[in-house]
Amino acid sequence: MKSYDGCWTCRLRKKRCDEIRPVCRNCSALQITCHFGNEKPSWMDGGFGQKEKAEEVKREVKSAAARRRGTLPMDVLEPIAAEPDNDAGLATGGLNEQRASKCPPFPGPLCVRDLAPSQYQALDRRFMMFYFDHFFPFLFPFYKPLLLEGGRSWIMELVVGNQAMWHTTLCLSTYFVSVALDGAISGPNVCKTLAWEKLLKQMGVTFMMLHHNLEEVASSNTQDLIIKTSRIMGNIIQLQRFEISVGNFENCQKHLSAAITLLKQIFRAADNVIGDGELPTFYGVLSQMGRPLWAIKSQQSGAWSSDQAAFRFYSALLIVDDIIISTCTEEPPRLLEYHAQLLTNGGSPDERPLNLEDFIGCENWVMLQIGEISALDTWKKSIRKAGQLDTMELVARASAIKQALLGNLARLDAAANTPKTHWLGLFTLYNDHLPPMPGGCTAFVTRVWAHAALLYLSVVVSGWQPGSAGVRENVVRVLALLEQMPTPELLRTMVWPFCIVGCLAEPGEECRLRAMANALVPHRLFGAARKALEIMENVWKCRDGLTIDTDFAACVCSLGYVSLLV
């Protein structure tokens, strides 16, 4: 006898449900969305809505079946004429059923209609290698871990061993292969737009599945919880970075909040295991994920396991994302309490748990000070609202931040001609995706971020004064640095500095900033930089109406939503 208290998906499919939450066994086995809840869904109306939803579930079952066989779903690569998507086509102004049905499939290499199952699998493997060889280095050009730390092999190990990561990575790679072939293949743009929109919808389903997975593991207090939760966190951050790169910022705050919650849960779970009542060290958390493949006695680190390496990588990205979005939300970084132990422990970079320059090309001290400026901004606004602002205290706090930035900039300049060497350095010649620069790319990127941080500090302390001497000095310096970039694509690692400099630029400098953004082609792969240009242009339009009380957060939110500029 079938259950009448089961999930709505099983009721719709007229199947017996075991009522396991958050995903029943039927839906889990089929890898489809498990709808459950006390309230009856609006589509469960016994009429057209229910029939339409049933057809949607059938398509989802078919698509999931292709994934389980290790093949790529047809509707990822080409639109299905018989089943047009009414809400796809955001970039085409809306596509009606008749227009969608006339769209021919992708030509050339993207026509997969007649492939045998073995060829599908081969296609998947090639798309996956495209991700490892091209897409990942494109997104994270500074991430080149040494062989003694295990290199980048964890990426492949994690993707192959984790079904959710495999699926999301395949989706990402599919999109970028489509973009890469866009210039080489002629064909209707409508079809390509439909394929991309379907891909983004599929990513939305993936996020929902990840939230269900979170609920599933949240009740556990075992060491296994740490690994499972860290994998979910990594999936969320990876998908969010992809969404940002293609210009989709609608869910960035929600996804970032979920990832931050997961990181805090991981530390709490490690504390439950260690049991000393204090915030565990980063290495303490890593130790709960297993042992490194090998260890070096003179260092705390070694060749990290795939889960340890992934946790380090995604924690670094999350720390940066949290700091950057705090400058746009008028709130301090939500992971501020973790900064000291993750970014400053020890006297040398080798002793810090995370060196951000290895992940994003910017040294820790800049990000730490941007986080401090954001916290100072929040403090200033709350105290001023209460009528208790002490200007001398504000200046004193700001002076300490400014001196830290200027002191480190001076150190950076002094070390500009000092070559960096490390063991097995000869292999960097064959594994370097960055252009050669005097002093290195990380020093260049760090310098740009530092001068942008000084601009941010000026706005927080003195208000919106684009014409002031201090602001003009740093705007001119950053613009000069950005125009020295050896390749335009390097700008994608400095989007936040690019945006704040652009917002404070003079009219005569606008064309230089537009040229930098327009040099990033194809535009589809540089969503954050394009969004930064859109924010700047919005500020330029209302430049005469800006007052001294305007801040950077107001500029970023002038489009009606918060954009994560990373």
Side-chain angles (χ1 to χ4, degrees):
M1 180 177 180
K2 68 176 185 297
S3 169
Y4 289 93
D5 295 319
C7 74
W8 293 103
T9 307
C10 285
R11 295 192 220 186
L12 180 69
R13 299 178 62 240
K14 299 180 180 178
K15 303 293 182 181
R16 182 172 182 174
C17 183
D18 59 15
E19 303 175 21
I20 293 178
R21 299 291 182 265
V23 182
C24 71
R25 284 198 178 92
N26 288 342
C27 295
S28 177
L30 292 173
Q31 298 179 14
I32 61 175
T33 307
C34 186
H35 298 280
F36 62 89
N38 295 328
E39 295 185 7
K40 186 177 182 180
S42 58
W43 43 262
M44 202 72 174
D45 57 5
F48 177 77
Q50 186 167 333
K51 182 179 179 181
E52 189 177 54
K53 187 66 176 179
E55 292 299 319
E56 179 184 324
V57 171
K58 287 181 182 178
R59 292 194 296 270
E60 190 178 358
V61 170
K62 181 179 178 181
S63 178
R67 292 198 301 272
R68 294 195 304 275
R69 292 193 301 268
T71 63
L72 188 65
M74 292 282 289
D75 60 352
V76 171
L77 290 180
E78 61 181 4
I80 300 174
E83 299 171 347
D85 193 346
N86 293 329
D87 57 1
L90 298 178
T92 61
L95 297 170
N96 58 33
E97 181 174 350
Q98 181 180 5
R99 186 178 179 185
S101 65
K102 292 181 179 179
C103 292
F106 279 129
L110 288 185
C111 277
V112 296
R113 189 188 307 271
D114 299 322
L115 293 183
S118 60
Q119 291 175 302
Y120 272 114
Q121 294 173 12
L123 186 63
D124 282 1
R125 289 195 295 270
R126 292 191 181 191
F127 276 22
M128 200 61 70
M129 287 309 301
F130 176 86
Y131 175 83
F132 297 138
D133 292 341
H134 301 287
F135 177 33
F136 188 91
F138 169 78
L139 285 180
F140 309 106
F142 293 98
Y143 185 64
K144 299 186 292 290
L146 300 177
L147 174 62
L148 295 179
E149 293 182 1
R152 288 192 296 240
S153 61
W154 66 267
I155 306 169
M156 184 176 295
E157 293 169 9
L158 194 67
V159 169
V160 172
N162 184 297
Q163 187 178 20
M165 187 69 80
W166 169 273
H167 175 57
T168 56
T169 302
L170 190 59
C171 287
L172 271 57
S173 186
T174 300
Y175 175 85
F176 277 83
V177 168
S178 298
V179 174
L181 293 175
D182 193 27
I185 299 173
S186 61
N189 289 331
V190 171
C191 291
K192 296 168 185 176
T193 300
L194 281 171
W196 292 328
E197 293 298 334
K198 286 179 179 290
L199 179 59
L200 291 177
K201 286 188 66 176
Q202 195 169 13
M203 287 174 56
V205 174
T206 304
F207 271 119
M208 186 165 58
M209 292 174 64
L210 290 174
H211 284 298
H212 287 330
N213 291 342
L214 171 60
E215 294 175 2
E216 184 180 24
V217 302
S219 59
S220 174
N221 288 318
T222 64
Q223 291 187 7
D224 194 40
L225 165 66
I226 297 176
I227 293 178
K228 289 182 178 179
T229 307
S230 67
R231 290 175 179 175
I232 297 172
M233 184 188 83
N235 268 287
I236 292 175
I237 296 172
Q238 173 173 283
L239 283 175
Q240 168 144 296
R241 283 297 179 119
F242 169 70
E243 285 194 322
I244 291 171
S245 69
V246 301
N248 182 15
F249 297 88
E250 181 180 352
N251 299 312
C252 63
Q253 283 185 285
K254 184 197 313 182
H255 298 154
L256 184 59
S257 295
I260 289 173
T261 299
L262 289 172
L263 182 68
K264 292 182 177 181
Q265 287 182 356
I266 290 169
F267 273 86
R268 284 197 295 269
D271 180 47
N272 290 336
V273 175
I274 297 172
D276 59 7
E278 297 182 359
L279 185 68
T281 66
F282 193 67
Y283 290 115
V285 175
L286 291 175
S287 69
Q288 299 304 314
M289 296 182 172
R291 301 178 61 185
L293 300 181
W294 65 73
I296 303 174
K297 291 184 178 180
S298 61
Q299 302 179 18
Q300 281 188 286
S301 63
W304 305 111
S305 69
S306 60
D307 283 305
Q308 289 172 326
F311 184 62
R312 294 182 75 250
F313 178 78
Y314 290 117
S315 294
L317 296 186
L318 184 57
I319 286 282
V320 173
D321 291 357
D322 178 48
I323 291 172
I324 296 308
I325 206 166
S326 73
T327 68
C328 311
T329 58
E330 302 181 343
E331 296 178 354
R334 284 170 284 181
L335 296 174
L336 191 63
E337 63 179 309
Y338 295 84
H339 288 186
Q341 69 139 302
L342 296 184
L343 304 179
T344 66
N345 277 5
S348 68
D350 292 336
E351 297 176 353
R352 297 169 190 153
L354 293 174
N355 288 314
L356 297 181
E357 64 180 299
D358 297 335
F359 301 95
I360 64 163
C362 181
E363 294 183 15
N364 289 17
W365 55 271
V366 180
M367 286 298 166
L368 283 166
Q369 296 308 318
I370 293 175
E372 291 296 326
I373 299 170
S374 176
L376 179 65
D377 186 35
T378 303
W379 172 83
K380 172 190 171 182
K381 289 173 179 175
S382 63
I383 293 296
R384 184 171 60 183
K385 187 176 181 179
Q388 300 174 349
L389 179 61
D390 185 337
T391 304
M392 294 183 65
E393 182 178 0
L394 173 64
V395 172
R397 292 190 179 193
S399 295
I401 296 173
K402 184 175 181 179
Q403 290 307 312
L405 288 168
L406 293 176
N408 279 291
L409 270 171
R411 176 190 56 78
L412 202 63
D413 292 337
N417 297 319
T418 303
K420 290 187 177 181
T421 59
H422 52 70
W423 294 349
L424 305 179
L426 69 94
F427 291 110
T428 59
L429 176 65
Y430 307 100
N431 191 33
D432 201 333
H433 298 272
L434 296 169
M437 291 189 68
C441 275
T442 57
F444 173 83
V445 170
T446 299
R447 192 174 285 109
V448 171
W449 277 89
H451 284 292
L454 287 169
L455 283 172
Y456 179 42
L457 181 62
S458 295
V459 173
V460 168
V461 175
S462 305
W464 197 261
Q465 300 187 65
S468 68
V471 169
R472 288 302 309 151
E473 178 185 359
N474 284 293
V475 167
V476 170
R477 285 191 179 184
V478 174
L479 277 175
L481 284 169
L482 291 178
E483 290 179 330
Q484 295 172 18
M485 287 188 298
T487 175
E489 291 76 20
L490 195 60
L491 182 65
R492 70 177 313 279
T493 67
M494 299 173 283
V495 175
W496 185 86
F498 176 62
C499 187
I500 194 169
V501 167
C503 290
L504 290 163
E506 292 184 344
E509 295 163 333
E510 294 177 7
C511 60
R512 297 163 65 187
L513 291 155
R514 283 197 183 96
M516 294 177 196
N518 290 333
L520 301 175
V521 291
H523 294 333
R524 296 188 194 94
L525 298 187
F526 298 93
R530 300 301 302 177
K531 187 60 62 178
L533 178 61
E534 188 178 348
I535 291 169
M536 292 179 213
E537 292 178 331
N538 205 41
V539 172
W540 297 340
K541 290 176 184 177
C542 57
R543 182 185 276 120
D544 295 337
L546 300 180
T547 68
I548 196 170
D549 292 327
T550 303
D551 59 13
F552 182 58
C555 294
V556 175
C557 298
S558 63
L559 300 178
Y561 52 87
V562 176
S563 299
L564 179 54
L565 301 174
V566 293

